[in-house]
Amino acid sequence: MSEVTAEASGARSIDENSFIGAGRFEPPRYAFTLAPTRVMQSFEAAGPLPKVTTIVAPTGYGKTVLMTQIHRLATASGARTFWLGIDDREADLPMILTLVEHAIGLSRLDLNSASIEDPRGSLPHRVDRMIAHLARLPGEVVIFIDNINSCSDPGLSLLLDALTFRTPNTVKFCVTSTDPVPFDSGRARIEMKLRRITVSELGFDFSTTAAMLRASGLDHLSNEHIATVVSKTEGWPAAIRLIQLILSNEGDNTEGLEHFSGADADLAALLSRRLIASFDPDLVDFLHDIAELRGFSVELAAAATGNPRAAHWVRFLVERNVLIVPLDRGQTWFRFHSLFRQFLLADAAGRQTPERRRQVLLAATEWLRAKGDRAYALELALAAPLPEQASAILEQLARPMVRDRGDLSTFTQWVEQAKTLGATLGLDTLLWYAWALAFNRHYERAGVTLDELAGRIREVAPDDDGKGPLWSPHRMAQIIFNFHLDRMDAVRAEAPGWLADYPDAGTFDFAAVAGAYAIASAIMHDFQTARRALRLAQDSIIRVRSDYGLSWVASVSAIVELMQGDPIEAERNLRDAEEQVRSNIGDSAAIVSVLTLGRARAAADTGRITEAVEMVRQAIEQGINEGILDTAWFGIEVALQCPDSGEDQRNIEVLQSMARRYARRLPFLVELALIRCALRHGRTADAMDKAEALSIWSRPAGFHPEALTGFSAMERSAATLAGIDLLMAAGSLREAETLIEQELRSAQDTGRRRDQIELHLLQTAFMLRSDNQDGAIKALARAVVTASKRHLMRSFLEQRDLVVQVIQSTPMKKFGLTLPADLAFFAKICDALGVSPAASRPQTADNDGYIVEAPTPREIELLQLLDSGLDNSQIASRLSLSVPTVKWHLYNIYSKLGVKNRAGALAKARALRVLHRQ
């Protein structure tokens, strides 16, 4: 499997020279000497790092400081180390994955993609690639993630559990957090070395406190003073650090130690009373000005504040170690300790005027925009607030944030903040906001946003006839959103115009719209149009080398082929695409699961049920999540084994839940399939209850096709097949016959072979119920001829009892099959069902020497009941058969024995010695 390094691909790179990138991928460079702590000494004495290290404590306990020390230890031992520092801007798993990928040198593959594809990619697949990449790295590898609590995504455990349990022992990781780390810590403790560090180990003892205070020049402090510091702070590192700063600033003044408490509530008072009070007033104003800046450089601080002494004050803070942390190796970017910044913000709120605050943030925003650090600029513009600047920056960030980086949650949050501020959103912002909503399956809100975009386009270009370049992305998005909402009539109405108006549109967008048009047409049983649209998609995507693009077109092709009943061609196309994806991207690529669901449906249609069910079992969860409605239907349809036990029923409920993730059509198709399953298992009342819930049936025997007005042709045909089954079960044979004939004509006109086969088999059942044995044989023969060329075996397996009943009681010649392909397929059906035509069974001779076909055991049993004097109804009750079926068996017995009635049959049976009186 090929890999592309992050350095080689700049499409989704992160600028480490900006504040957004500074400090993310290397540990902080503290200006002060790091004090030797007990917990660090334990790491140094223990040797190799444990598999997992978690450092969990509230703010101010030196978690990052400790992890920096551990990082130095690991690096010095020769380990390959990767550092990732995150904050509350990375609230979701996709962005965390992007940062981790960048940190370890692993970029996203197949960067050229259609707008229809979620830019975040498949999260499980991205995790799989990351784990595979780490496993290939030589030697010991240690990943450090600082502030993992900043990510609130519940899916974070997917990444952390993978790092813990799916990587070799040479791959280790260490995280800091203020909250419990979301992974399976219980399993980690049992299976491997897990080091959990909490407040009890992070607190400073006497020796550590003494080392830190004396290293800062406070050598004059007595042991009694140091003991007082430890006692008053309870070993809280942040509080001890503040005392060190105050004592360093005020000289030999230790009297205040007795009045200090290390409680959180006293921290702000201490800062206000002792530390800030000792600063130059100009420095205090400077600190108030830059408190809003999450991070700052000398240049940014100078531009934002306009203070000519900005460089001097930054240097002063660094040299005095005033709770300031350098973020990069060159000490260009800095941040304040979070507790210190919280105090500064609170203090500034009471001293700084709103006008001054806005002036500083405006200057900072403009400086960052000029430097190209747009994300940070936008953050400040929204905080100020500066609606006009926020709108302009969003317009520049929209496409790269959504399409290139997949940072949907941050972008969506920023847009909604800008809207709250009353900002006028630009065209690109509205377009990519709509896409961000759509990728999160908020299609209705996406549609509303597109309507807003349309209004803005009309304002900008009032003379445009709707075919200009500004309308292209809007119309394309509208088509794709309607496709995902399953508004196929709208897709069929809009797609042809877009394809005609924008033939030079991007390859992927053109293929996406053409593919959606093909599927929409197939669902409406307009296969001629579907195939024309499919050819457009194929011709477009073949011009680029994209595994995802080719897989999309293969999926569209399979949908068309399978709906018309050509599983052989569908499986060939899907297998070719799947092999290419596995070769180029890997076995765990999300699109593989989608392709596998299509192959499973093709395998089931050709009679390989066990193989199909196993494929679905392996692929259905990811295939459902990553696919579209019709590929999801392929998997669910195969998995819908008729419930016959509690376990099966639980599986059905899971499948129903999966179906509800999609538009109404999929749950409707699932319920129709369950109705037919229930009827095949004799649960007529259950089937009728389900049908009544769908409003297509009313007891005792009323099918309501008028309830299907506005439904797709695919839904109407599926409902009609269920309706025929219901009418047959209710004994309404005449109504069933009419529906069969109508639907069969429709299936033949549109070329739906699979439906034709099902309808011929329904005709077979109807003929049996009507005592028309010859008609039943002919209907079954028509089903065989229709199925043979495409090897459509599934319907014969599903109607096993019916097909076996007709075949085993009918001489081969009566089927009228003459073509070699039809005869070969008929033989395949017989092998699959374990049955053979009547003419191929043993024969015997009567007393006159005439050859007579020997009755089957079932027929002998029926003759014995006849001999006992039972009538047809009594025989049907005794054998759990219907009366028409009993009549069918009697007809076959009379034919075999060459007689015309019961008396003749009994006499001939005795003569052949297959029936003896007791």
Side-chain angles (χ1 to χ4, degrees):
M1 181 176 69
S2 62
E3 300 287 0
V4 181
T5 64
E7 290 76 16
S9 172
R12 302 179 199 263
S13 63
I14 297 170
D15 183 4
E16 297 183 36
N17 295 316
S18 70
F19 167 64
I20 295 299
R24 290 187 185 276
F25 305 109
E26 58 182 354
R29 306 279 170 167
Y30 295 103
F32 55 86
T33 302
L34 302 182
T37 60
R38 289 171 300 168
V39 65
M40 190 59 214
Q41 290 166 355
S42 70
F43 274 97
E44 292 169 345
L49 293 177
K51 174 71 176 178
V52 180
T53 303
T54 62
I55 307 172
V56 181
T59 301
Y61 272 89
K63 299 183 295 296
T64 304
V65 173
L66 175 60
M67 195 160 77
T68 299
Q69 293 174 298
I70 299 173
H71 179 273
R72 291 180 183 176
L73 179 65
T75 303
S77 70
R80 182 189 296 248
T81 57
F82 302 106
W83 180 280
L84 174 59
I86 61 176
D87 54 41
D88 55 14
R89 289 166 294 177
E90 289 78 53
D92 66 355
L93 180 59
M95 271 309 296
I96 296 295
L97 285 175
T98 298
L99 292 170
V100 175
E101 287 164 344
H102 180 90
I104 66 175
L106 180 66
S107 79
R108 297 277 297 280
L109 290 178
D110 203 11
L111 301 180
N112 294 318
S113 59
S115 299
I116 193 173
E117 181 195 343
D118 190 334
R120 296 168 298 184
S122 163
L123 302 187
H125 170 55
R126 290 175 67 184
V127 171
D128 290 344
R129 287 185 62 243
M130 184 184 304
I131 297 306
H133 177 76
L134 290 170
R136 287 193 295 271
L137 295 178
E140 185 178 60
V141 174
V142 188
I143 299 173
F144 295 87
I145 306 179
D146 193 21
N147 296 322
I148 196 70
N149 53 282
S150 296
C151 178
S152 58
D153 193 323
L156 178 61
S157 59
L158 170 72
L159 170 62
L160 299 184
D161 281 340
L163 288 172
T164 304
F165 304 112
R166 294 176 52 200
T167 54
N169 291 332
T170 54
V171 177
K172 305 171 181 182
F173 80 96
C174 177
V175 296
T176 68
S177 177
T178 57
D179 302 315
V181 180
F183 79 120
D184 193 345
S185 58
R187 178 183 169 191
R189 285 197 300 272
I190 294 171
E191 294 186 9
M192 61 194 69
K193 292 181 180 179
L194 167 63
R195 178 74 186 272
R196 300 176 67 186
I197 300 170
T198 59
V199 169
S200 61
E201 290 187 84
L202 291 169
F204 282 8
D205 61 6
F206 179 90
S207 62
T208 304
T209 304
M212 189 190 85
L213 294 174
R214 286 167 179 162
S216 63
L218 298 173
D219 297 324
H220 61 281
L221 292 179
S222 67
N223 288 344
E224 182 181 353
H225 288 143
I226 294 171
T228 300
V229 171
V230 175
S231 173
K232 293 294 184 179
T233 62
E234 299 179 354
W236 185 22
I240 295 171
R241 177 74 176 141
L242 284 166
I243 289 177
Q244 176 257 308
L245 287 170
I246 292 168
L247 294 178
S248 297
N249 254 17
E250 296 182 354
D252 189 11
N253 181 9
T254 57
E255 294 178 4
L257 290 177
E258 292 297 332
H259 305 293
F260 169 67
S261 166
D264 290 359
D266 284 339
L267 177 58
L270 171 66
L271 285 165
S272 177
R273 184 174 62 251
R274 303 286 293 274
L275 185 61
I276 295 297
S278 68
F279 286 166
D280 184 299
D282 186 54
L283 171 57
V284 175
D285 289 341
F286 177 73
L287 290 173
H288 288 160
D289 282 346
I290 65 173
E292 285 277 4
L293 307 180
R294 185 194 297 268
F296 56 90
S297 64
V298 170
E299 292 80 4
L300 173 57
T305 64
N307 190 321
R309 302 178 70 190
H312 166 74
W313 290 131
V314 172
R315 186 167 58 254
F316 172 86
L317 294 170
V318 172
E319 290 173 352
R320 297 294 186 93
N321 302 326
V322 184
L323 298 175
I324 188 172
V325 181
L327 294 177
D328 55 342
R329 186 176 288 107
Q331 295 198 6
T332 302
W333 287 94
F334 306 88
R335 68 170 175 84
F336 287 123
H337 189 284
S338 57
L339 288 173
F340 188 48
R341 182 168 179 253
Q342 287 170 18
F343 164 73
L344 290 176
L345 287 169
D347 200 48
R351 301 191 188 191
Q352 190 183 48
T353 66
E355 293 76 14
R356 175 58 180 171
R357 176 180 177 274
R358 190 175 187 278
Q359 179 186 9
V360 169
L361 291 177
L362 174 59
T365 298
E366 295 301 337
W367 186 89
L368 289 166
R369 288 181 68 185
K371 296 295 183 180
D373 206 340
R374 298 188 186 96
Y376 191 15
L378 178 60
E379 194 178 312
L380 298 180
L382 292 170
L386 303 166
E388 183 178 340
Q389 286 81 358
S391 176
I393 300 169
L394 275 171
E395 192 72 355
Q396 295 173 311
L397 284 176
R399 183 184 178 98
M401 282 193 74
V402 176
R403 182 162 179 168
D404 296 341
R405 294 205 303 271
D407 191 0
L408 308 188
S409 63
T410 303
F411 178 74
T412 300
Q413 178 184 345
W414 281 347
V415 170
E416 289 168 358
Q417 281 184 259
K419 291 175 71 175
T420 301
L421 298 178
T424 301
L425 301 181
L427 301 185
D428 259 14
T429 303
L430 287 169
L431 174 67
W432 291 104
Y433 178 52
W435 276 114
L437 292 170
F439 291 137
N440 283 314
R441 300 197 175 188
H442 300 311
Y443 295 114
E444 297 291 349
R445 290 174 60 196
V448 171
T449 303
L450 282 185
D451 291 342
E452 185 179 352
L453 173 59
R456 293 280 291 114
I457 294 174
R458 293 188 189 98
E459 293 175 9
V460 173
D463 298 328
D464 196 318
D465 61 356
K467 297 183 180 180
L470 287 179
W471 283 101
S472 175
H474 171 274
R475 290 171 60 189
M476 185 264 184
Q478 188 72 64
I479 292 165
I480 299 304
F481 295 172
N482 281 329
F483 175 77
H484 283 293
L485 288 167
D486 209 42
R487 297 171 178 167
M488 295 306 182
D489 284 336
V491 173
R492 281 167 55 81
E494 298 162 359
W498 187 90
L499 293 169
D501 292 341
Y502 305 105
D504 298 323
T507 296
F508 295 95
D509 291 348
F510 195 88
V513 171
Y517 184 32
I519 293 171
S521 299
I523 288 166
M524 301 308 295
H525 292 168
D526 181 0
F527 293 104
Q528 185 176 9
T529 299
R531 291 188 179 279
R532 284 200 303 269
L534 173 60
R535 283 193 293 273
L536 288 176
Q538 291 169 330
D539 292 344
S540 176
I541 210 67
I542 202 171
R543 290 177 285 175
V544 296
R545 297 180 61 185
S546 166
D547 297 315
Y548 281 94
L550 291 174
S551 297
W552 161 249
V553 171
S555 296
V556 174
S557 174
I559 291 168
V560 175
E561 299 293 356
L562 289 170
M563 290 184 73
Q564 277 206 286
D566 192 349
I568 303 297
E569 181 65 15
E571 186 169 18
R572 183 185 66 79
N573 291 332
L574 290 169
R575 182 181 287 110
D576 289 347
E578 183 177 328
E579 288 176 354
Q580 179 168 326
V581 171
R582 288 183 185 275
S583 173
N584 294 340
I585 302 180
D587 293 342
S588 61
I591 193 65
V592 169
S593 296
V594 177
L595 297 170
T596 298
L597 294 185
R599 287 208 304 114
R601 164 64 187 274
D605 282 359
T606 55
R608 293 148 35 221
I609 304 297
T610 302
E611 177 187 346
V613 169
E614 178 59 23
M615 283 194 284
V616 168
R617 186 189 67 78
Q618 295 180 3
I620 190 163
E621 185 62 44
Q622 189 172 38
I624 293 289
N625 289 336
E626 304 296 336
I628 58 176
L629 187 151
D630 292 282
T631 57
W633 169 234
F634 291 157
I636 291 176
E637 185 193 19
V638 172
L640 276 174
Q641 302 305 302
C642 299
D644 200 30
S645 69
E647 183 178 354
D648 289 333
Q649 184 56 44
R650 285 191 294 273
N651 292 337
I652 294 300
E653 291 168 0
V654 171
L655 295 171
Q656 289 173 312
S657 175
M658 289 180 171
R660 287 193 291 272
R661 300 178 195 176
Y662 286 89
R664 175 197 52 80
R665 177 163 57 99
L666 185 51
F668 184 69
L669 292 172
V670 169
E671 292 306 307
L672 292 174
L674 290 174
I675 288 170
R676 303 191 73 191
C677 278
L679 290 171
R680 281 200 289 273
H681 274 75
R683 297 194 304 276
T684 304
D686 180 28
M688 289 186 176
D689 287 344
K690 289 181 180 294
E692 286 183 339
L694 296 179
S695 302
I696 64 171
W697 180 263
S698 61
R699 284 179 168 88
F703 176 62
H704 301 297
E706 68 277 4
L708 301 171
T709 301
F711 284 58
S712 67
M714 177 187 184
E715 293 167 282
R716 292 196 301 271
S717 63
T720 300
L721 290 171
I724 294 169
D725 281 344
L726 288 163
L727 290 168
M728 296 275 283
S732 300
L733 299 186
R734 188 174 299 279
E735 291 86 347
E737 179 185 24
T738 300
L739 270 183
I740 291 171
E741 291 175 353
Q742 291 175 355
E743 190 62 22
L744 184 56
R745 284 194 296 271
S746 172
Q748 289 169 337
D749 289 343
T750 55
R752 291 179 283 125
R753 302 177 195 89
R754 187 182 179 209
D755 285 353
Q756 291 175 46
I757 296 163
E758 290 209 44
L759 289 160
H760 286 313
L761 290 175
L762 286 169
Q763 276 187 327
T764 303
F766 166 77
M767 294 297 179
L768 286 180
R769 296 280 297 274
S770 303
D771 286 335
N772 185 346
Q773 289 78 10
D774 287 341
I777 295 167
K778 291 176 182 177
L780 180 58
R782 287 194 293 271
V784 172
V785 171
T786 304
S788 65
K789 188 174 181 180
R790 301 305 194 288
H791 300 276
L792 290 161
M793 176 70 73
R794 184 179 181 183
S795 297
F796 299 94
L797 301 179
E798 290 178 336
Q799 298 289 347
R800 173 183 295 271
D801 292 343
L802 171 69
V803 177
V804 167
Q805 179 180 339
V806 176
I807 290 178
Q808 71 179 7
S809 58
T810 304
M812 183 66 202
K813 63 182 180 181
K814 295 195 70 173
F815 286 105
L817 302 174
T818 58
L819 295 178
D822 297 341
L823 292 167
F825 187 70
F826 184 81
K828 188 176 179 181
I829 293 173
C830 292
D831 288 343
L833 299 178
V835 67
S836 57
S840 61
R841 288 196 299 270
Q843 297 175 325
T844 186
D846 63 12
N847 291 336
D848 298 323
Y850 292 104
I851 300 297
V852 176
E853 185 179 344
T856 66
R858 185 68 157 178
E859 290 166 346
I860 292 173
E861 181 182 13
L862 193 144
L863 284 167
Q864 289 172 338
L865 294 175
L866 275 181
D867 194 32
S868 299
L870 300 183
D871 61 21
N872 289 352
S873 296
Q874 291 169 323
I875 293 172
S877 177
R878 182 73 63 86
L879 298 179
S880 299
L881 300 172
S882 65
V883 173
T885 300
V886 171
K887 291 180 179 179
W888 166 261
H889 282 303
L890 290 176
Y891 169 83
N892 287 320
I893 291 170
Y894 299 162
S895 298
K896 289 181 180 181
L897 300 180
V899 298
K900 296 181 179 180
N901 53 40
R902 293 183 174 213
L906 293 172
K908 181 61 71 76
R910 295 190 191 101
L912 294 171
R913 298 181 180 179
V914 296
L915 183 65
H916 304 281
R917 283 193 179 277
Q918 303 296 323

